[in-house]
Amino acid sequence: MLPDVSAERLVAIGRRMLLIRRFEERLITLFQDKVFVGHYHVYIGQEATGVPAIAQLRPDDFLFSTHRNHGHNLARGVDPKMLLAEILGRVGGMSRGKAGTLHLSDPQRGIFHTSAVVGGSMPLATGAALAGKQLGKQQVSVCLFGDGALEEGAAYEAMNLASLWKVPIIFICENNCLEAREDIPGAWHTTCLTTQRLIDIAAALGHSTAAIDGGDVGAMWSAMSQALDRVRGGEGPCFIEAATIRWPGNFGLWPELPMGLTNLAWVWGAGEGPAAYEGWFREQDPLLRYLRELQAAGIADRDTILAWDEAVRKEVDAAAQFALGSPSPEPAEARRHVFVEAGR
Ligand SMILES: Cc1ncc(C[n+]2csc(CCOP(=O)(O)OP(=O)(O)O)c2C)c(N)n1
Ligand SMILES: [Mg+2]
């Protein structure tokens, strides 16, 4: 079901999801073209979680993310040009190319830290929430992380303290561990935890919880809206488990495009694409699911969606042109913006 908001907002969500998809697809092709090196992760297949959640934040709220952070940054309104330059390690990036994909930050947008250390953002987000509480401006700290973070001790300390201190924090666990379990309603197969329903962990620690289909924009919108009311009202932490089916390009060590670029023809019928992934296109892809909902509600027809796609692709082209035209940092830059200069 679509969120109960204006058509303008529904459209903005769809366009932002599309921007994330095309940006990440471009990033994969840039890597395949050897434009940059090193490990990186993409957010494709999880757009229906981050976009409706982050769209509801106030500009002064705090956002903490993980290794799968590009989509969260775009959802928060980070400039695609600067974001791509940062990911490629160029001086045009938000951190002058020194943070790279794994440590993106944009303090002006409340993105103080993303961490590739699994679970690493959770204590920091809890600390920010404590600051938010003490500042008394009803700022909320939102922490997105994967199911794997619940393997880490830091996650439990953070969740426990958040509850003890009743701080305004929303933990959003993006559980991309595949399929729903038929034997336990509301539970998902997880690879790394004995607990099948991750909200049970948070509930035991006193959090208010919600388990939703992370591919459903409306479900995420409503869970987040309720969580925000609760935490801004001083009622303590919330934990949302958003279950998503892992995107087929995300199974290997490196992201791949086994299905090619997303073919939007699947929104209004059967598009072209490898037969093996027809189920993904028809039922699981959260972007296609949402665009179909907009179409069925009469908010966007085929031509409108294609026009959005053209505009988004141009925005990604411009980002690529900017990032590729931006130089790498000078070697001497390595000694700047550090706590202690080497050799001192
Ligand atoms: C503390 C720590 N242990 C191991 C790793 C290596 N590592 C990188 S991503 C990852 C999987 C994380 O799974 P999850 O948090 O569910 O995120 P997903 O990639 O599934 O979105 C692991 C184990 C790490 N980065 N940090
Ligand atoms: Mg995971």
Side-chain angles (χ1 to χ4, degrees), residues 41 46 67-68 116-118 145-149 152 174 176 246:
H41 305 263
Q46 298 179 199
H67 57 287
R68 212 172 283 294
V117 177
V118 172
F145 52 94
D147 43 289
E152 301 295 330
E174 300 194 66
N176 54 9
R246 191 176 276 255

Side-chain angles (χ1 to χ4, degrees), residues 87-112:
I87 294 168
L88 302 188
R90 308 295 177 96
V91 296
M94 297 96 76
S95 303
R96 301 182 60 80
K98 292 181 180 181
T101 170
L102 296 179
H103 301 288
L104 297 173
S105 74
D106 190 346
Q108 285 178 340
R109 288 180 180 73
I111 305 174
F112 296 124

